[in-house]
Amino acid sequence: MARLIGLVALAGSPALAQETQEALVTAQLGNAVEVVDLATKKILQSIPVSGAPAGIALSPDRKTAYVTRPEGHGVAVIDLEARRVTGSLDLPGGPLGIGVNPKSGEVYVADWYGARVFVLSPSADGLKREGEIATGQSPSGIAVTPDGATLLVANRESDSVSIIDVANRRETRRVPVGQHPFGLTLSADGRFAYTANVVSNDVSAIDVAAGRETGRVATGQRPYVIALAAGRGFVTDQYSNTVTVFDTVTLRKLAAIDVGDHPEGIAATRDGKTVVVANWGDNALSLIDTSSLTVTGTIETGDGPRSFGDFLR
């Protein structure tokens, strides 16, 4: 299948030393999920996961990880306390983007090859396929509002975002955005969504309640995923080897930070002080200080770091 890009939300900084935090990295080419201690910047364990693991999401209690396997055509379930795979579920098509409802615990998986999102129900016996929701073509990034009522999906080939009523499992609005949206990120309060538009080289801002695009900001070449921290957006520019920084209110571009080779995944730590970038080309994470907007260090990873989704705990 086509090369798949994901989201990494890892970090390490002096501020993390007083609070141990783990991050999970899907090393897609290495067929593993790596458990990283952010305080020591060390890989604690590499958990074998076949099928080119890409997307990742955590259960509401942060004890279980769900990992998409695009080449294995399914989802792996990882017990994070035992640090091992405990189950899997086969799915048709190309499972890629994944998200978890913070209220119900339902798992949503985007079918890259179709125009649908699978709805999975977790139980003591594993995941069960409960149904599917129609979307635009090649759904990728997934986000769920904090109240669990609304699901948003970036439709790469339809240049749009689906806004879905979770209770009825039905798309209520489709919002036009830039060309080929991939990564989709929600503000902490769920009011605004941001898509990284791969072909038009920009980010679209969406008012979720109004169901409309409110503006765009130019980025470097081939933006893929967005992290939000300290009132700013941080966008990986894959072909520019940079991270574009913008103001989330004014949508004004603030900076372009040089990082590693082919940056793809990105996310912020809980305290918002550090943003970490997964550099596909050199198997390393670049750590960005959100105050000074400078790279403060790197962490080596396995082959093809690309966590796409929620994976800090």
Side-chain angles (χ1 to χ4, degrees), residues 47-273:
I47 304 168
V49 179
S50 63
I56 187 166
L58 302 184
S59 59
D61 64 8
R62 321 304 279 176
K63 294 181 179 180
T64 304
Y66 305 104
V67 179
T68 56
R69 302 163 54 242
E71 294 180 12
H73 303 288
V75 175
V77 181
I78 298 176
D79 181 325
L80 296 177
E81 301 300 310
R83 294 181 185 170
R84 64 184 180 89
V85 174
T86 57
S88 64
L89 178 68
D90 292 337
L91 292 172
L96 175 58
I98 188 168
V100 172
N101 190 304
K103 296 298 184 181
S104 70
E106 276 190 336
V107 180
Y108 310 107
V109 180
D111 179 4
W112 177 258
Y113 291 150
R116 59 186 175 178
V117 168
F118 300 111
V119 181
L120 312 180
S121 176
S123 71
D125 297 323
L127 288 175
K128 180 181 179 181
R129 185 174 166 187
E130 295 286 354
E132 58 185 60
I133 304 168
T135 65
Q137 291 294 324
S138 293
S140 52
I142 287 179
V144 186
T145 53
D147 61 6
T150 304
L151 171 69
L152 289 89
V153 182
N155 305 310
R156 191 181 190 278
E157 297 303 315
S158 296
D159 298 338
S160 64
V161 169
S162 292
I163 298 181
I164 294 167
D165 182 295
V166 168
N168 296 314
R169 295 182 183 173
R170 181 176 63 86
E171 180 186 70
T172 58
R173 187 166 299 193
R174 189 171 295 183
V175 183
V177 292
Q179 292 178 273
H180 289 191
F182 188 82
L184 187 153
T185 302
L186 271 175
S187 60
D189 58 11
R191 294 176 56 203
F192 298 97
Y194 302 88
T195 63
N197 306 315
V198 176
V199 174
S200 54
N201 295 326
D202 53 25
V203 166
S204 292
I206 298 171
D207 183 315
V208 176
R212 64 182 180 88
E213 182 186 50
T214 59
R216 296 186 193 179
V217 57
T219 65
Q221 291 184 298
R222 301 284 174 167
Y224 273 79
V225 183
I226 303 152
L228 302 176
R232 296 163 172 170
F234 297 79
V235 191
T236 47
D237 305 317
Q238 187 189 33
Y239 287 8
S240 300
N241 293 343
T242 58
V243 167
T244 294
V245 185
F246 67 92
D247 185 293
T248 57
V249 175
T250 65
L251 298 184
R252 183 171 64 90
K253 182 176 178 178
L254 303 175
I257 305 169
D258 291 328
V259 289
D261 183 24
H262 279 69
E264 295 180 351
I266 188 171
T269 53
R270 277 197 297 261
D271 60 13
K273 295 180 179 180

Side-chain angles (χ1 to χ4, degrees), residues 261-288:
D261 183 24
H262 279 69
E264 295 180 351
I266 188 171
T269 53
R270 277 197 297 261
D271 60 13
K273 295 180 179 180
T274 306
V275 164
V276 178
V277 182
N279 302 303
W280 172 272
D282 53 16
N283 297 333
L285 308 176
S286 295
L287 310 182
I288 296 175

